[in-house]
Amino acid sequence: MFNVTRTSRKVLSQFIENFTLDQLNEIPDGFNNNLIWNIAHIVVTQQRLVYKFSGLPLRISGEIFEKYKGGTKPNGAVSQSEVEEIQSLLFETIDQTEADFNSDVFKNYQEYTTSIGLTITSIEDAISFNNYHEALHTGVIMSIRKFI
């Protein structure tokens, strides 16, 4: 169930490894965000979809959540240490989610209707929709990279 997410996260991690800090922070003309914002937003959205709507504490800091949640945009350059934190969260959050899923931690789910009109009613739906969301932002990332 987590193979797609892990593969996605490996691709995202390669962007962090293969682009400079300046490139990760650059917002090309025609875009309202950058590579690192999209990567961090993916982490935050997974936490929101899986943990928040399950009534469980997020596995990321409130600061990271607020900075990269939906409706935000970059508000200055991200430091190298924050990039490293985001990169580690790519894998830590999925490892924790898989462990929690296998331990049957997700007992309840608050129904949530996404921006595309899909109503999520279970943790399985949330994990599935998260993969869709990650793919959307990976596409944006692939577009941005052409302009930096």
Side-chain angles (χ1 to χ4, degrees):
M1 176 178 260
F2 293 92
N3 289 339
V4 172
T5 310
R6 272 201 174 64
T7 300
S8 169
R9 300 295 176 96
K10 286 177 187 170
V11 169
L12 296 170
S13 183
Q14 289 172 351
F15 279 97
I16 292 173
E17 291 168 7
N18 293 324
F19 287 87
T20 67
L21 184 59
D22 286 341
Q23 289 172 316
L24 291 171
N25 278 294
E26 183 178 340
I27 302 173
D29 289 341
F31 291 87
N32 62 1
N33 53 44
N34 54 32
L35 295 174
I36 196 61
W37 183 92
N38 276 280
I39 294 168
H41 173 72
I42 284 170
V43 171
V44 165
T45 300
Q46 184 268 344
Q47 290 289 293
R48 180 174 180 252
L49 289 169
V50 173
Y51 286 92
K52 183 176 184 199
F53 291 117
S54 293
L56 299 170
L58 302 179
R59 305 298 185 154
I60 59 174
S61 72
E63 179 183 340
I64 292 284
F65 181 83
E66 290 299 321
K67 188 172 181 180
Y68 298 104
K69 68 183 179 180
T72 65
K73 59 183 180 180
N75 61 355
V78 173
S79 68
Q80 184 62 43
S81 63
E82 188 170 343
V83 168
E84 290 165 7
E85 178 183 8
I86 292 163
Q87 186 171 24
S88 68
L89 287 172
L90 283 172
F91 300 104
E92 290 169 11
T93 54
I94 295 308
D95 291 344
Q96 185 65 57
T97 301
E98 184 173 27
D100 289 344
F101 183 85
N102 290 336
S103 297
D104 203 26
V105 167
F106 302 104
K107 303 282 187 199
N108 302 303
Y109 198 85
Q110 175 188 336
E111 190 173 285
Y112 171 70
T113 301
T114 69
S115 60
I116 64 165
L118 175 70
T119 300
I120 300 172
T121 60
S122 68
I123 190 61
E124 291 84 3
D125 286 350
I127 292 167
S128 179
F129 180 76
N130 181 68
N131 288 332
Y132 167 82
H133 180 262
E134 290 198 17
L136 282 176
H137 282 275
T138 300
V140 171
I141 288 167
M142 298 225 179
S143 292
I144 289 172
R145 76 174 178 178
K146 294 176 183 178
F147 296 98
I148 58 172

